[in-house]
Amino acid sequence: MQEQITSILAHMAKAQHELARTLEAKRVVVAHMAMLVEQIPDHNPSFGEIDALMEHSLEVTKGVASYLNSLADLEEALADNLAPILKLMKEQPGEE
């Protein structure tokens, strides 16, 4: 039984690692977008139409929100996947 738990944990760890790599790539994009927004002057920006500026600002906000939601999903997936394993490990105190 311990070998099965170890195997399940190894597969879960690999899947979570891949998800973390995806989130890292997404983090880089969001950070880059935030740096671009930071470069916008506070006074009298000349971007042409306000509609384009609002659309781009909305896209940046969506990117940040999407990244944060992905982090929350990762945390939830980790908790959901580890809870049954921890329960099984508590039920078998003699095996190590």
Side-chain angles (χ1 to χ4, degrees):
M1 183 64 156
Q2 194 67 22
E3 289 178 24
Q4 289 176 335
I5 291 173
T6 303
S7 176
I8 290 169
L9 283 174
H11 288 293
M12 286 174 27
K14 184 175 180 178
Q16 299 303 334
H17 178 71
E18 291 300 319
L19 182 55
R21 286 183 56 215
T22 301
L23 287 174
E24 175 64 19
K26 198 176 219 183
R27 183 194 65 81
V28 170
V29 170
V30 169
H32 183 68
M33 288 171 37
M35 286 187 332
L36 291 175
V37 169
E38 190 176 270
Q39 298 301 317
I40 297 172
D42 291 336
H43 302 288
N44 300 326
S46 57
F47 295 110
E49 295 183 25
I50 190 71
D51 293 335
L53 178 61
M54 294 297 288
E55 183 179 331
H56 287 48
S57 297
L58 181 61
E59 290 300 317
V60 169
T61 303
K62 285 181 181 179
V64 171
S66 174
Y67 173 67
L68 293 175
N69 282 331
S70 297
L71 284 178
D73 291 343
L74 173 61
E75 183 179 355
E76 187 176 343
L78 285 169
D80 289 346
N81 290 328
L82 289 177
I85 299 298
L86 292 175
K87 183 179 176 184
L88 282 173
M89 291 177 78
K90 285 182 182 179
E91 291 174 357
Q92 301 174 357
E95 295 182 29
E96 291 196 24

